[in-house]
């Protein structure tokens, strides 16, 4: 579920990778970037919708 949450948060318009990276506790930004590259692989995932809701809440926490 963490993977989907991070990926969905990165996909939102205006997403700030630095904030998402901090939330995910990634020390290296390349780790966060890997989630962004695999975005299309999550379509049809069973946890996709639940994680999407969490990602929206995370992105709204400014």
């Amino acid at each position: 579920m963490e993977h989907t949450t991070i990926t969905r948060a990165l996909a939102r318009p205006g997403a700030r990778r630095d904030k998402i990276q901090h939330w995910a506790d990634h020390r290296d930004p390349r780790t966060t970037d890997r989630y962004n590259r695999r975005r299309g692989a999550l379509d049809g995932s069973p946890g996709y919708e639940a994680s999407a809701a969490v990602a929206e809440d995370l992105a709204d926490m400014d």
Side-chain angles (χ1 to χ4, degrees):
M1 189 146 116
E2 179 181 346
H3 184 275
T4 305
T5 302
I6 294 168
T7 302
R8 291 281 300 164
L10 288 166
R12 290 184 55 100
R16 291 191 44 197
R17 186 187 69 187
D18 60 324
K19 284 188 166 200
I20 297 166
Q21 177 185 341
H22 176 74
W23 174 84
D25 200 28
H26 294 159
R27 293 182 184 169
D28 187 334
R30 292 176 295 183
T31 304
T32 308
D33 290 341
R34 275 192 299 227
Y35 288 91
N36 203 26
R37 287 193 301 269
R38 295 196 34 98
R39 196 176 355 187
L42 295 174
D43 293 339
S45 170
Y48 189 79
E49 291 300 320
S51 295
V54 173
E56 287 178 20
D57 291 343
L58 173 63
D60 291 337
M61 296 176 74
D62 284 326

